[in-house]
Amino acid sequence: DAGVTQSPTHLIKTRGQQVTLRCSPKSGHDTVSWYQQALGQGPQFIFQYYEEEERQRGNFPDRFSGHQFPNYSSELNVNALLLGDSALYLCASSLAGGAALRELFFGEGSRLTVL
Amino acid sequence: AQSVTQPDIHITVSEGASLELRCNYSYGATPYLFWYVQSPGQGLQLLLKYFSGDTLVQGIKGFEAEFKRSQSSFNLRKPSVHWSDAAEYFCAVGARAGGTSYGKLTFGQGTILTVHP
């Protein structure tokens, strides 16, 4: 059973460019959340997608956008990259439904370096 | 707004010694609490979680944590540390989101654990 997979694992961009990161959730999961983890910091919530819609959003500018596809996979797009966007971007998947709390499963992340 | 504080940035222990990592949270309702571990260059692995009920929760790899509502704490413990436990540990608080999958997790800044032989 494949877990959460993310691509690419590493990438380097320059300021002002745009980047797309991809995530395939764990089999059977329908909800994808994205987190940004700057060096030496804990992960920070960017947004969550469920039923192809953004369900919740953290305190990130509109340069950060996302998409969820019918097969539940997801993309994170960041436009007009800044040096401060350099971070590990983590994708987490979970299963929605009911009132029960569902466990998050994290991928290994995409390491973005902005020069 | 929810928040998590991990007061210790870096802890060093000897192999075989006991371990306690501190976590304090701020949340306006019943918290959902988690401990995750992250090895260098890796994603996050869930060690244990607290939803309700027994305030002492057992996790993987011999870890346990105790929820103390009066102290707003959820400290992680292990009676005997192994060299393979060296990693970064994150405490997180979660919020339920409208009855569906729970919403965002708010993480602490992490505690780096070094284990000396």
Side-chain angles (χ1 to χ4, degrees), chain A residues 31 35 37 40-45 48 50 55-56 58 88 90 94-109 111, chain B residues 32-34 36 38 41-46 49-51 88 90 94-110:
Chain A
T31 302
Y35 289 79
Q37 186 179 17
Q41 302 293 317
Q44 285 195 295
F45 176 78
Q48 181 186 73
Y50 171 67
R55 184 163 287 264
Q56 279 199 102
L88 180 67
L90 295 165
S94 56
L95 180 63
L101 203 63
R102 302 293 182 179
E103 181 177 337
L104 285 182
F105 287 81
F106 283 85
E108 295 196 344
R111 170 79 59 190
Chain B
Y32 299 121
L33 296 161
F34 308 82
Y36 284 87
Q38 185 177 39
Q42 303 294 310
L44 297 169
Q45 181 183 23
L46 180 67
K49 56 186 182 281
Y50 171 78
F51 293 168
E88 189 161 16
F90 292 94
R96 182 175 292 178
T100 61
S101 173
Y102 63 87
K104 68 176 185 178
L105 292 187
T106 298
F107 286 85
Q109 287 200 311

Side-chain angles (χ1 to χ4, degrees), chain A residues 33-36 44-49 54-64, chain B residues 2 103-106:
Chain A
S33 303
W34 287 92
Y35 289 79
Q36 180 196 66
Q44 285 195 295
F45 176 78
I46 302 175
F47 41 53
Q48 181 186 73
Y49 276 83
E54 183 181 292
R55 184 163 287 264
Q56 279 199 102
R57 190 179 183 90
N59 189 26
F60 279 80
D62 292 344
R63 298 187 297 109
F64 289 77
Chain B
Q2 57 204 52
K104 68 176 185 178
L105 292 187
T106 298

Side-chain angles (χ1 to χ4, degrees), chain B:
Chain B
Q2 57 204 52
S3 66
V4 176
T5 301
Q6 292 181 246
D8 304 306
I9 296 174
H10 196 169
I11 283 184
T12 300
V13 300
S14 297
E15 191 168 18
S18 63
L19 171 71
E20 182 169 28
L21 302 182
R22 295 184 291 164
C23 172
N24 293 98
Y25 69 88
S26 173
Y27 186 65
T30 302
Y32 299 121
L33 296 161
F34 308 82
W35 274 99
Y36 284 87
V37 61
Q38 185 177 39
S39 297
Q42 303 294 310
L44 297 169
Q45 181 183 23
L46 180 67
L47 286 175
L48 47 79
K49 56 186 182 281
Y50 171 78
F51 293 168
S52 64
D54 192 348
T55 56
L56 184 63
V57 294
Q58 303 296 322
I60 63 172
K61 304 183 180 185
F63 285 93
E64 66 177 27
E66 185 171 13
F67 169 57
K68 293 185 177 180
R69 184 187 300 274
S70 61
Q71 298 176 20
S72 298
S73 69
F74 188 58
N75 294 348
L76 182 71
R77 302 193 294 250
K78 186 169 185 178
S80 178
V81 171
H82 188 264
W83 63 266
S84 60
D85 293 325
E88 189 161 16
Y89 291 79
F90 292 94
C91 180
V93 61
R96 182 175 292 178
T100 61
S101 173
Y102 63 87
K104 68 176 185 178
L105 292 187
T106 298
F107 286 85
Q109 287 200 311
T111 298
I112 298 172
L113 174 65
T114 298
V115 181
H116 281 168

Side-chain angles (χ1 to χ4, degrees), chain A residues 30-32 47-54 65-68:
Chain A
D30 56 9
T31 302
V32 173
F47 41 53
Q48 181 186 73
Y49 276 83
Y50 171 67
E51 292 188 335
E52 302 180 48
E53 291 187 357
E54 183 181 292
S65 64
H67 189 78
Q68 185 179 35

Side-chain angles (χ1 to χ4, degrees), chain A residues 10 12 25 35 38 52 60 71 73 91 95 98 112:
Chain A
H10 295 82
I12 300 173
Y35 289 79
E52 302 180 48
F60 279 80
N71 67 352
S73 66
C91 172
L95 180 63
L112 171 65

